[in-house]
Amino acid sequence: MEYQDLLVEVHDKVALIRLNRPKAMNALNDNMMNELGDAFAKFDKDPAIHVIVLTGSEKAFAAGADIAAMKDYTYQDTYRDNYIGRNWEHILKVRKPVIGAVAGFTLGGGCELAMMCDFLIAADSAKFGQPEIKVGVTPGAGGTQRLPRTIGKSKAMDMLLTTRMIDAAEAERIGLVSRVVPAASLIEEVLKIAQGIAQMPVSVAMQIKDCVNRAFETTLSEGVNYERRLFHAGFGTPAQREGMYAFLEKRTPNFEGL
């Protein structure tokens, strides 16, 4: 796969997608988001790929949406063409695990895109923020919705209204990212984590992702009921047989093809 605004690599069962508009600090434009949707769809369908990693550059995961491209839009333009909705949310349809590896500026639309990943690992150089109010608009890709669900109302209001950036240490402390690693070893560390997940049964990883995402869309009792049905359905499957017999036989399970 060759793209204009992305760099793509495959590391065994892990696909690495790198946002690549260095002169624009990886500002998110239509072409990049169209290409990203294409790459996500292809890797999600590829049985050889079990985990997808999304990253940017050392300086910026993505410094926001491309303001130069949208400065003259009107309400009619954005509503008619379904701006953002038409090509920013392909990541939400990916069934396999998606890990965000973020370094440098992760701002505005970049922060919103990062929050669409299943979890985030940050370089110690990462800076997060939602500065949209400074350019006269609200966030439009989930910043007012995913951020408070992740870090709570008070912290979200602080970031959204004051435009204060937070560093990686604070982002980990408040639950926006799961781990912080040295910037120099970000990709190496994330690939290790991704390859570990890729050794697990991909079918079960997809079910876990489905269950966790459902937790944000339904009541606790309904969510637990859904989880229980998938738990019951797992018995008698090759993954369950291999996993439990390997445990009892004190050997490493082989989930190849599962």
Side-chain angles (χ1 to χ4, degrees):
M1 286 178 270
E2 292 188 7
Y3 298 107
Q4 179 182 331
D5 293 325
L6 303 177
L7 297 175
V8 174
E9 304 169 12
V10 173
H11 299 261
D12 194 15
K13 298 177 182 178
V14 178
L16 175 67
I17 303 172
R18 191 185 299 272
L19 306 177
N20 186 45
R21 295 187 71 215
K23 293 181 181 178
M25 300 284 280
N26 289 337
L28 308 172
N29 65 3
D30 263 354
N31 186 69
M32 176 184 275
M33 302 314 285
N34 287 335
E35 291 183 349
L36 192 56
D38 182 77
F40 275 132
K42 286 176 178 173
F43 284 131
D44 202 32
K45 291 176 184 175
D46 187 345
I49 298 299
H50 289 195
V51 181
I52 302 169
V53 174
L54 178 63
T55 193
S57 69
E58 293 178 2
K59 290 184 178 179
F61 173 73
D66 192 339
I67 294 175
M70 63 180 174
K71 61 182 173 55
D72 294 322
Y73 287 173
T74 65
Y75 170 75
Q76 181 179 337
D77 296 330
T78 56
Y79 186 81
R80 179 195 60 218
D81 298 337
N82 193 21
Y83 179 54
I84 292 182
R86 69 175 178 255
N87 58 0
W88 280 54
E89 296 173 329
H90 296 292
I91 185 173
L92 301 178
K93 299 175 184 176
V94 177
R95 300 176 69 208
K96 295 171 182 175
V98 178
I99 305 172
V102 297
F105 294 110
T106 306
L107 306 177
C111 189
E112 292 170 307
L113 177 62
M115 287 190 289
M116 293 184 205
C117 296
D118 295 318
F119 66 96
L120 297 176
I121 298 173
D124 52 16
S125 63
K127 301 281 187 184
F128 299 86
Q130 296 284 168
E132 285 89 344
I133 194 171
K134 278 187 177 179
V135 295
V137 293
T138 65
T144 66
Q145 302 302 304
R146 291 190 179 88
L147 197 60
R149 282 170 168 80
T150 303
I151 67 175
K153 177 184 176 181
S154 184
K155 281 285 187 182
M157 284 288 198
D158 184 1
M159 290 178 65
L160 290 159
L161 294 175
T162 71
T163 74
R164 180 176 74 90
M165 285 192 291
I166 63 173
D167 61 18
E170 183 173 356
E172 182 183 29
R173 188 172 74 247
I174 64 179
L176 184 57
V177 306
S178 63
R179 312 186 200 185
V180 177
V181 301
S185 58
L186 173 65
I187 299 304
E188 178 186 354
E189 292 293 328
V190 173
L191 285 176
K192 257 188 224 177
I193 293 163
Q195 286 162 352
I197 296 171
Q199 298 310 308
M200 305 299 173
V202 66
S203 57
V204 180
M206 292 163 70
Q207 290 174 334
I208 289 171
K209 174 173 176 171
D210 187 18
C211 285
V212 173
N213 286 336
R214 188 167 289 253
F216 292 91
E217 305 293 342
T218 189
T219 64
L220 176 61
S221 60
E222 285 300 317
V224 171
N225 185 56
Y226 184 75
E227 175 194 80
R228 189 79 33 80
R229 296 288 79 79
L230 289 183
F231 171 69
H232 290 162
F235 284 86
T237 63
Q240 177 263 332
R241 295 288 193 199
E242 173 61 16
M244 293 191 179
Y245 275 88
F247 176 83
L248 294 173
E249 294 165 6
K250 296 181 170 52
R251 60 177 175 83
T252 301
N254 177 14
F255 291 120
E256 191 68 36
L258 305 179

